Amino acid sequence: MEIIRTADELRQRVAELKEQGRTVGFVPTMGALHAGHISLVDKARHDCTAVVVSVFVNPTQFNNQTDLITYPRTEEADCALLEKAGVDIAFIPSVEEMYPTPDTRVFDLGPVAQVMEGPMRPGHFNGVAQVVSKLFDMVRPHKAYFGEKDFQQIAVIRRMVEIEGFDIDIVACPIRRHDDGLAMSSRNVRLTAEQRQVAPEIYKALRLGKTFAAEGHGVGPTKALVTDTINSVPFMKVEYFEIVDADTMQPIADWADASHAAGCITVYCGDVRLIDNIIFF
Ligand code: PAF
């Protein structure tokens, strides 16, 4: 595996791979890699003949400085995992390399970015659009892979791709969970032993909500059941739980309002912000 730290070298190496007729799959990450990330790499390896992974903790998408400072950074372990997973290129730039001058671009991300994480984390999605558009411009992959844990992020990235006119296939990959149901996340390492023990209650409550809805209960009562169930667990406080049209991300009030519906949740477990979701239909 090659480790590349500059944009110029990355562009040159990817151009060489394309000249050899290789199809390029790209997995952008912020490092602190776990089996969820590796499942994206595996899918990229399955679909493409060269795989590029970026590892970059992007400061412009953090609206909370403490979150940025405490975000886990584990470069050596990340490289070992990527090498083992058969990655061709790990792109690990510095902040100065990615942002030689401040990025002042403001993306018109539209309604998909105006709900849930949008108002809760002002500037977050614009920062994601900035960094992913820069990375896409450097790598120009055929396909790019994102995990469905960040369900709304995928809709935002599709919108950015549309605005920028990138010819890149965005591939959404299923959430990877621990055996007890907790969605894999780089932030899980920040949970205390007691918090880690109760954290699977989030997914349990989401599944309870799905069963409750299938029994004929409405959107409002389903939201209330899931929220109240999680709020009754020690350390846990629901920030929001929205049931949305899975394509537009807009909240629905009635199941008939969408042909695909998803429940998206954010929960503070102590001071660790956990995110998860479930597809209702
Ligand atoms: O999902 C993430 O890890 C990040 O938001 C991404 C897409 C790598 C951009 O920094």
Side-chain angles (χ1 to χ4, degrees), residues 147-224:
E148 281 182 338
K149 187 171 79 64
D150 296 301
F151 197 70
Q152 191 180 2
Q153 173 172 273
I154 298 179
V156 167
I157 284 166
R158 289 191 199 282
R159 168 81 186 139
M160 178 279 289
V161 163
E162 188 181 87
I163 297 170
E164 297 292 289
F166 286 117
D167 183 15
I168 298 170
D169 186 9
I170 302 300
V171 184
C173 302
I175 299 179
R176 286 294 305 268
R177 297 184 180 280
H178 294 281
D179 289 344
D180 58 13
L182 177 65
M184 289 185 183
S185 164
S186 306
R187 288 189 168 89
N188 291 348
V189 296
R190 294 188 48 223
L191 296 168
T192 65
E194 292 83 0
Q195 291 165 350
R196 175 64 188 81
Q197 211 167 3
V198 296
E201 297 300 322
I202 300 171
Y203 187 51
K204 257 192 220 162
L206 290 175
R207 279 186 312 173
L208 179 71
K210 184 166 173 168
T211 306
F212 186 69
E215 286 164 0
H217 298 278
V219 170
T222 303
K223 281 170 69 172

Side-chain angles (χ1 to χ4, degrees), residues 25-279:
F26 177 48
V27 182
T29 82
M30 296 207 300
L33 302 178
H34 49 68
H37 296 108
I38 300 306
S39 72
L40 305 183
V41 171
D42 289 345
K43 176 83 174 105
R45 277 196 45 194
H46 175 266
D47 295 350
C48 305
T49 50
V51 176
V52 178
V53 176
S54 63
V55 176
F56 178 65
V57 181
N58 172 38
T60 74
Q61 72 187 75
F62 285 82
N63 58 324
N64 174 329
Q65 281 309 297
T66 312
D67 196 19
L68 172 61
I69 292 161
T70 57
Y71 200 86
R73 287 159 170 88
T74 56
E75 186 180 310
E76 219 173 293
D78 291 346
C79 286
L81 278 176
L82 294 178
E83 173 107 55
K84 190 159 164 251
V87 166
D88 297 275
I89 295 175
F91 177 53
I92 312 182
S94 63
V95 173
E96 295 70 31
E97 183 67 22
M98 285 303 288
Y99 297 105
T101 56
D103 191 341
T104 53
R105 291 174 300 160
V106 177
F107 289 81
D108 175 15
L109 299 170
V112 293
Q114 285 161 9
V115 292
M116 302 191 284
E117 295 296 277
M120 286 298 163
R121 303 181 69 188
H124 167 67
F125 282 137
N126 198 62
V128 170
Q130 286 176 338
V131 76
V132 176
S133 64
K134 274 175 180 272
L135 290 166
F136 279 4
D137 186 55
M138 291 169 193
V139 181
R140 299 262 161 189
H142 296 90
K143 291 170 181 272
Y145 297 80
F146 295 87
E148 281 182 338
K149 187 171 79 64
D150 296 301
F151 197 70
Q152 191 180 2
Q153 173 172 273
I154 298 179
V156 167
I157 284 166
R158 289 191 199 282
R159 168 81 186 139
M160 178 279 289
V161 163
E162 188 181 87
I163 297 170
E164 297 292 289
F166 286 117
D167 183 15
I168 298 170
D169 186 9
I170 302 300
V171 184
C173 302
I175 299 179
R176 286 294 305 268
R177 297 184 180 280
H178 294 281
D179 289 344
D180 58 13
L182 177 65
M184 289 185 183
S185 164
S186 306
R187 288 189 168 89
N188 291 348
V189 296
R190 294 188 48 223
L191 296 168
T192 65
E194 292 83 0
Q195 291 165 350
R196 175 64 188 81
Q197 211 167 3
V198 296
E201 297 300 322
I202 300 171
Y203 187 51
K204 257 192 220 162
L206 290 175
R207 279 186 312 173
L208 179 71
K210 184 166 173 168
T211 306
F212 186 69
E215 286 164 0
H217 298 278
V219 170
T222 303
K223 281 170 69 172
L225 175 71
V226 171
T227 306
D228 295 347
T229 303
I230 296 176
N231 282 339
S232 71
V233 176
F235 310 112
M236 298 237 182
K237 179 90 190 84
V238 173
E239 185 178 49
Y240 66 77
F241 175 51
E242 285 292 357
I243 296 180
V244 300
D245 179 313
D247 299 315
T248 65
M249 300 296 127
Q250 300 312 295
I252 58 170
D254 194 292
W255 297 115
D257 292 345
S259 50
H260 302 291
C264 299
I265 196 160
T266 300
V267 179
Y268 274 97
C269 188
D271 64 356
V272 184
R273 191 171 184 270
L274 300 176
I275 186 167
D276 203 346
N277 63 76
I278 195 163
I279 303 295

